[in-house]
Amino acid sequence: MKLHTILGAGGTVSNQLLPVLLENKEQVRLVSRQPAPNSHAEVVSADITDYPQTLRAIQGSSVVYLLAGLKYDIRVWRESWPKIISNVINACKATESKLIFFDNVYMYGRVDGIMTETTPFNPVSRKGEVRAAIASQLLHEMNTGNLQAQIARAADFYGPGADKTGVPNMLVFANLKKGKKAQWLGNANVPHSFTYIPDTGKALYLLANRDNAFGQTWHLPTAANPLTGKQFVQQAAAAMQKNASVSVISSWMMQLGGLFNRNIAELVEMNYQSVYPYLFDSSKFNAEFGFTPTSYAEGIRATADVYR
């Protein structure tokens, strides 16, 4: 039986993948610094910035999913991501485990058009530079044949289970639930792709079980024809029977807030993703696996049901 090991257990993506693995009767190991007990999976405590702990956590794995998330702080990213990617690569090579790295789109920078798997790396932020460096390191190992691995990228999240990481969850659905006006970042008049988070778990499992998927980069299933911020809020408000007005958090408001709040300050350099069209294409995955991403209409309704 294959052992599927999740690095970053308890996180947003891990919580989508775990039930898919268990439904398919897979053997699962959950790894994090302080993992929660789980009667259906092996649980291992490990700090993956430390190589011996990483090697111990991965030992015996058939497939390793690197789903770890770090504090949204460039100081932490610069310190920890290079260690994590090197440790996981070396541990997977030592144990002959396959690796799936869950990635974002920061390394692409501002793209004039649609983001695809062939979009060149052109980071325009400090966090994008970190992501470009670690993705390039993994791609080198993949291209030289030293490691069976793949990169799985998603757009920004929304949906049930994305309450802590999905901007629409926090600014739209949560506010509407409280009877407050929905908020949107940057510009509510441009289209912005969002990956429906429940689709990610299904997609990762499909990738893990397709041998020819390794050695490639994949954009995870994301609905085409993304909505503008106003359209997204209108559909969410209709589903929750709330007022559809929206308050836009402008760039200068974020810069001002960043003077007093470190978390807001960390968002400022990424605001280009909200000011300009953000168009993410997953047609390669959809065609390969015959997968239809959850539509915005369906995903918004399902998310609204949870918040109601």
Side-chain angles (χ1 to χ4, degrees):
M1 180 181 290
K2 290 183 178 179
L3 173 59
H4 295 252
T5 295
I6 297 176
L7 304 180
T12 300
V13 180
S14 171
N15 289 342
Q16 303 300 322
L17 175 60
L18 177 59
V20 176
L21 294 174
L22 295 178
E23 286 167 10
N24 285 278
K25 312 298 182 184
E26 298 289 2
Q27 182 181 359
V28 181
R29 177 183 293 159
L30 302 174
V31 181
S32 67
R33 291 194 181 195
Q34 296 179 314
N38 191 298
S39 59
H40 303 291
E42 178 187 1
V43 174
V44 173
S45 175
D47 176 359
I48 57 175
T49 64
D50 177 82
Y51 180 68
Q53 293 187 53
T54 306
L55 180 61
R56 175 176 58 85
I58 287 176
Q59 196 74 44
S61 301
S62 300
V63 182
V64 174
Y65 305 85
L66 178 50
L67 310 181
L70 301 181
K71 182 179 179 182
Y72 204 69
D73 186 324
I74 186 58
R75 299 169 299 184
V76 175
W77 283 34
R78 284 174 172 164
E79 171 70 19
S80 297
W81 267 123
K83 294 178 182 178
I84 290 171
I85 200 70
S86 293
N87 289 344
V88 173
I89 286 173
N90 290 331
C92 284
K93 288 164 68 174
T95 60
E96 297 185 350
S97 304
K98 295 180 178 180
L99 173 62
I100 300 178
F101 174 44
F102 190 91
D103 202 3
N104 62 27
V105 300
Y106 288 8
M107 73 294 301
Y108 295 151
R110 179 186 167 188
V111 178
D112 184 15
I114 299 173
M115 291 177 275
T116 72
E117 290 87 349
T118 61
T119 297
F121 293 179
N122 185 31
V124 295
S125 65
R126 298 169 299 168
K127 295 183 190 68
E129 290 171 354
V130 172
R131 302 300 297 211
I134 63 174
S136 296
Q137 182 178 347
L138 179 53
L139 285 168
H140 173 74
E141 297 289 343
M142 292 162 57
N143 293 336
T144 55
N146 294 329
L147 176 68
Q148 287 194 70
Q150 53 183 289
I151 296 174
R153 291 204 173 99
D156 291 340
F157 299 148
Y158 85 104
D163 52 301
K164 295 181 179 179
T165 53
V167 172
N169 285 56
M170 294 183 283
L171 297 185
V172 179
F173 294 102
N175 278 341
L176 291 175
K177 179 180 179 179
K178 296 172 185 175
K180 297 181 179 180
K181 182 183 290 189
Q183 295 176 297
W184 200 263
L185 294 178
N187 186 349
N189 294 310
V190 295
H192 191 112
S193 296
F194 287 99
T195 299
Y196 184 64
I197 191 67
D199 284 347
T200 62
K202 302 170 189 175
L204 288 171
Y205 186 63
L206 288 172
L207 288 170
N209 286 283
R210 183 71 65 86
D211 287 341
N212 65 3
F214 288 86
Q216 300 187 56
T217 296
W218 298 89
H219 278 187
L220 296 185
T222 301
N225 303 313
L227 307 175
T228 67
K230 287 183 178 178
Q231 291 170 331
F232 194 103
V233 170
Q234 286 169 353
Q235 291 195 24
M240 297 183 72
Q241 298 182 327
K242 300 288 186 177
N243 189 300
S245 59
V246 58
S247 174
V248 175
I249 303 173
S250 65
S251 297
W252 72 264
M253 291 170 66
M254 291 182 64
Q255 291 170 352
L256 180 62
L259 297 175
F260 307 97
N261 185 299
R262 178 81 196 191
N263 292 332
I264 296 176
E266 290 288 340
L267 288 170
V268 171
E269 68 170 352
M270 306 310 304
N271 206 37
Y272 69 90
Q273 295 188 117
S274 302
V275 172
Y276 304 101
Y278 175 108
L279 307 172
F280 182 89
D281 176 77
S282 65
S283 57
K284 174 185 172 182
F285 183 97
N286 303 342
E288 178 69 22
F289 292 93
F291 195 103
T292 301
T294 300
S295 68
Y296 289 104
E298 181 182 348
I300 289 171
R301 283 196 302 270
T303 310
D305 286 344
V306 172
Y307 277 84
R308 286 189 301 178

